[in-house]
Amino acid sequence: MFLRLALSCAMLTGGLGAAQTAPAAQASHAMPAARVSAAPAARTPQDTAVAQASQGTAVAQAVRAPAAPCSAPYRIDRTLPNGARWQLCWEMRNIEGLTLTKVVYTPKGNRPVSVLRSAALAQIHVPYDSGSPRYHDIGALGSTAIPLLAADCPGGERREQSVCVTTRARGHAYLKSGYEEPSVSAQGSDLVVFAAFQVGWYTYLAEWAFSDDGAITPRVGATGSLAGSTTTAGHGWPIGVGSATFEESHSHNVFWRLDFDIQGKSGDVVEQYDFSGSRTAKRKLKRTTFTREAKALNRRTRWWRVVDRGVRNADGHPVSWELNNSDSSQYRGPAGEAFTRADVYVTGYRSCERLASVNPAPRCAGSVDRYVNGERLTDPVLWVNVGYHHVPRDEDADPMPTHWQGFRVTPRDVTAKNPH
Amino acid sequence: MGRQRIVMALAGAGAVAVVGAALLLPGGQGSQAAEAAPREPVPGDPLTGAEIARAGDIASATSRAHMAAGRVNLLYVERDDGKDAEERRRADAYLYDYATDRLIVRTVDLGRGTIVKESVTRGVQPPPSKAEEVRAAELLLADPAYGGGVREAYARAAGRQLRSVADLGLRGLIFTPGQEGGARRCAAHRCVRLFVRLPGSTWLDTSRIVVDLSAKKIYTLEW
Ligand SMILES: [Cu+2]
């Protein structure tokens, strides 16, 4: 055990020293070739060959950093207090609003791993409990971005008025009691990128938290004002004086589109994990690999991951990101709203497939349920549907307190151990 | 319920209103445009203001007559972020022809200054543009049944008469008849559901009103 620990520490140090170099150069330059295949973010075996071949230029490449994929106002490059680094670009698109691209994570002492090529909201579907109205709240979201005040971006910087980039505490990263020595603990932090959009009565906060442990938490907060649409007792809740008027209950079914590209688009595979055994002592892991486009439903212990077997950590395990912790109300709409009938969709990348419903592109299917049509997966895109059933209460008026909904994306085997 | 139903939805005052009011005013395509000094964009950057203008010009070249007549509108220009064209600067210009109800998307290669792809289709409705929100509100104001109600509600909320659509905070979403009854013509037409915000953080209840931009008509949903 001790030996093994010492070994990985040495490796981490090696990685740290070379963290500023280009990945290919680094592989041959900073580490013995035998370790290349086991180093985080190394693609095997092709990239190993490339790395060795390019040894001659390694030093030159090590001197200057690779060009950023976007210019300064759109570039986010933040090293958090524990040494974890996140790099990405943002864009305020007309339709999807805040869009994050080229997301790269560098665990402390390790080499960079590219995670997401693109991530954005893909719909906010708001059906009211009486059956009407039924809004698809992603219109031209970009043009509804609210200029943020300094107070709206505490401790951070505002980019082009409407995007906030800041750092936020996230509580204990870990706490472990000592044997004879004092306990060890650390406070974690998040890089937070967010924008606010005014859609009718509602203000939507679109937030992305990138944690110093490699987790990504996308969430949407709904605030602003209630719609003020009244209904009968069966579809609402009395929020005015007395119980004459009933504010109508409704759902916010939020969809996100995540184009994972772990060290490039090739090699990404989506797996679903289940644990069989109910009212039994044993549970058994069951892995389902999606070879074709798929629709999947939430289950209590079910989770998914995007894994690239060509990219290994120092233990030789394939690098992956896990999708979990969705706390969805799992709204299922009528037949005409089939896009509400699954919680996760896995589709093959197509640039025209942008929104989960009311897709704005010509010569393309209209909703995410139709993007799933049996194609063999080579470059998977994940669509996550998280619903929140909003039953109004007196406290909602006014301004309405923010109610949040989202999910988590956590690293699984990106590093061989906790890279704290 | 019918056409009389314009009810004020009282939402109370809030800090949000202060921020929200200004940005709901109609205006140009500001959000996507880089506002900094001119600079050579790199492939992952949003389109610059100059690029948006140029892409719009190139994409509109063959539609000028229809555009002048108000039959075709340039909705907006969106950066083409497709994986197959990562190193190129390309822009998708969305145009809509209200007479034939066709969506035209022209992809402009900004490096070459030419249209490299055109897709024309019916029945696909991208979100309404700012100009369309204004037009929809103008149609609403001109409507004999609803126009008066909007003016009255505005006068009550603002303490003065409505001068123009610019006084209203507007936000539009596409309406397509699916699960909601009524306005069947919107299956083929370009139809908008408006949110109308008044001073003092109040909204009109316009959830049953649909504006048909193709037929220049107002429909009332029955539910
Ligand atoms: Cu709500």
Side-chain angles (χ1 to χ4, degrees):
Chain A
M1 189 60 196
F2 176 76
L3 245 179
R4 188 180 132 83
L5 269 177
L7 239 175
S8 19
C9 283
M11 281 199 51
L12 287 173
T13 318
L16 185 62
Q20 300 305 316
T21 60
Q26 195 178 77
S28 54
H29 176 66
M31 293 181 183
R35 282 189 190 166
V36 167
S37 66
R43 180 175 290 285
T44 54
Q46 302 90 331
D47 283 11
T48 310
V50 171
Q52 283 160 349
S54 66
Q55 197 150 15
T57 58
V59 177
Q61 282 182 15
V63 173
R64 64 164 207 282
C70 56
S71 316
Y74 312 105
R75 186 73 177 144
I76 298 169
D77 185 346
R78 183 74 49 105
T79 301
L80 293 165
N82 81 340
R85 183 182 186 188
W86 287 98
Q87 293 159 287
L88 53 143
C89 300
W90 69 270
E91 176 176 13
M92 190 62 79
R93 294 182 65 82
N94 279 305
I95 295 173
E96 297 101 323
L98 180 64
T99 302
L100 304 181
T101 58
K102 308 273 176 162
V103 180
V104 174
Y105 168 56
T106 310
K108 180 188 175 187
N110 286 266
R111 294 188 301 169
V113 195
S114 58
V115 187
L116 290 159
R117 180 185 181 267
S118 166
L121 281 173
Q123 195 50 272
I124 304 176
H125 174 235
V126 189
Y128 279 71
D129 278 18
S130 70
S132 299
R134 312 179 76 77
Y135 297 111
H136 298 259
D137 271 349
I138 293 199
L141 209 54
S143 65
T144 71
I146 300 174
L148 299 172
L149 306 174
D152 297 326
C153 188
E157 38 163 337
R158 288 169 289 163
R159 302 282 184 89
E160 294 189 351
Q161 298 189 319
S162 56
V163 175
C164 170
V165 180
T166 188
T167 307
R168 194 164 66 192
R170 65 172 181 92
H172 273 94
Y174 54 84
L175 192 161
K176 182 181 173 179
S177 67
Y179 181 61
E180 282 168 332
E181 65 288 1
S183 57
V184 291
S185 70
Q187 294 297 309
S189 52
D190 287 340
L191 159 68
V192 177
V193 184
F194 87 90
F197 303 96
Q198 190 69 40
V199 179
W201 307 273
Y202 271 88
T203 307
Y204 287 115
L205 309 177
E207 187 188 276
W208 298 81
F210 299 90
S211 301
D212 57 3
D213 63 356
I216 303 170
T217 310
R219 60 175 190 163
V220 162
T223 175
S225 292
L226 279 170
S229 59
T230 53
T231 184
T232 56
H235 300 308
W237 193 268
I239 67 158
V241 177
S243 24
T245 52
F246 292 81
E247 175 79 22
E248 189 163 347
S249 305
H250 53 275
S251 293
H252 298 263
N253 304 315
V254 181
F255 292 78
W256 286 263
R257 175 183 183 269
L258 304 169
D259 181 11
F260 280 90
D261 279 356
I262 300 176
Q263 292 297 85
K265 67 177 182 178
S266 71
D268 293 352
V269 170
V270 179
E271 296 170 340
Q272 174 174 284
Y273 285 85
D274 286 293
F275 297 83
S276 67
S278 174
R279 298 168 191 247
T280 56
K282 291 187 181 179
R283 313 206 85 182
K284 192 158 186 269
L285 180 150
K286 183 181 173 237
R287 176 191 299 116
T288 309
T289 300
F290 293 145
T291 54
R292 294 183 184 277
E293 293 180 315
K295 303 170 186 176
L297 300 176
N298 286 336
R299 291 224 181 114
R300 279 290 166 194
T301 57
R302 174 174 283 176
W303 47 269
W304 300 267
R305 72 166 178 166
V306 184
V307 58
D308 190 328
R309 298 197 178 282
V311 184
R312 306 280 173 136
N313 71 10
D315 279 350
H317 296 148
V319 164
S320 70
W321 260 269
E322 174 181 336
L323 195 87
N324 61 18
N325 288 353
S326 152
D327 185 15
S328 177
S329 59
Q330 294 178 213
Y331 176 87
R332 305 292 181 226
E337 291 172 349
F339 63 91
T340 61
R341 292 185 171 185
D343 303 299
V344 172
Y345 296 85
V346 184
T347 64
Y349 174 85
R350 260 174 209 273
S351 62
C352 73
E353 294 174 350
R354 309 203 70 96
L355 298 186
S357 69
V358 204
N359 192 49
R363 292 166 197 273
C364 202
S367 55
V368 65
D369 52 297
R370 305 216 174 173
Y371 306 156
V372 178
N373 58 1
E375 269 171 58
R376 189 162 272 284
L377 286 168
T378 55
D379 178 12
V381 174
L382 270 72
W383 305 72
V384 184
N385 166 14
V386 179
Y388 169 74
H389 188 228
H390 185 188
V391 180
R393 53 187 174 132
D394 271 347
E395 287 83 351
D396 282 345
D398 185 289
M400 182 169 61
T402 309
H403 54 75
W404 290 101
Q405 58 200 102
F407 60 100
R408 296 253 297 161
V409 178
T410 45
R412 175 171 286 277
D413 308 341
V414 173
T415 51
K417 60 193 280 286
N418 185 349
H420 68 91
Chain B
M1 280 290 168
R3 306 201 114 210
Q4 291 85 332
R5 202 194 139 86
I6 287 191
V7 194
M8 296 288 294
L10 283 168
V16 183
V18 183
V19 184
L23 69 113
L24 291 177
L25 294 173
Q29 183 176 348
S31 63
Q32 195 192 33
E35 281 155 27
R39 152 180 36 79
E40 200 56 39
V42 307
D45 283 351
L47 297 175
T48 64
E51 284 178 317
I52 291 169
R54 187 151 164 267
D57 267 0
I58 294 168
S60 304
T62 55
S63 305
R64 295 246 178 262
H66 284 332
M67 289 174 79
R71 172 181 152 173
V72 171
N73 245 305
L74 172 65
L75 306 181
Y76 31 70
V77 175
E78 191 87 284
R79 186 172 76 92
D80 174 3
D81 67 348
K83 271 184 192 176
D84 52 344
E86 272 212 316
E87 294 310 310
R88 270 167 276 164
R89 294 292 282 172
R90 301 212 310 199
D92 292 327
Y94 287 73
L95 296 99
Y96 197 83
D97 183 333
Y98 303 91
T100 57
D101 276 299
R102 291 180 313 158
L103 169 68
I104 307 152
V105 177
R106 295 188 177 129
T107 304
V108 175
D109 185 314
L110 288 158
R112 289 190 236 159
T114 54
I115 296 170
V116 292
K117 198 175 124 196
E118 181 187 79
S119 305
V120 182
T121 192
R122 286 159 175 270
V124 175
Q125 300 293 351
S129 67
K130 292 231 169 210
E132 287 182 316
E133 289 170 349
V134 170
R135 202 143 16 119
E138 284 167 353
L139 288 168
L140 185 65
L141 279 178
D143 185 78
Y146 285 129
V150 176
R151 282 172 214 282
E152 247 171 62
Y154 180 86
R156 222 172 14 239
R160 61 182 147 79
Q161 296 301 307
L162 181 77
R163 288 161 301 186
S164 76
V165 172
D167 288 339
L168 303 169
L170 299 175
R171 181 61 49 220
L173 296 174
I174 286 297
F175 175 85
T176 43
Q179 300 307 312
E180 295 178 76
R184 305 317 294 185
R185 293 179 76 189
C186 295
H189 288 182
R190 187 151 171 84
C191 294
V192 169
R193 178 134 69 175
L194 276 181
F195 297 97
V196 180
R197 190 171 191 169
L198 304 176
S201 198
T202 54
W203 278 267
L204 292 174
D205 181 357
T206 47
S207 57
R208 282 181 167 82
I209 302 171
V210 172
V211 182
D212 183 337
L213 294 171
S214 303
K216 301 187 175 64
K217 281 202 159 66
I218 310 283
Y219 309 126
T220 305
L221 301 177
E222 301 294 339
W223 35 263

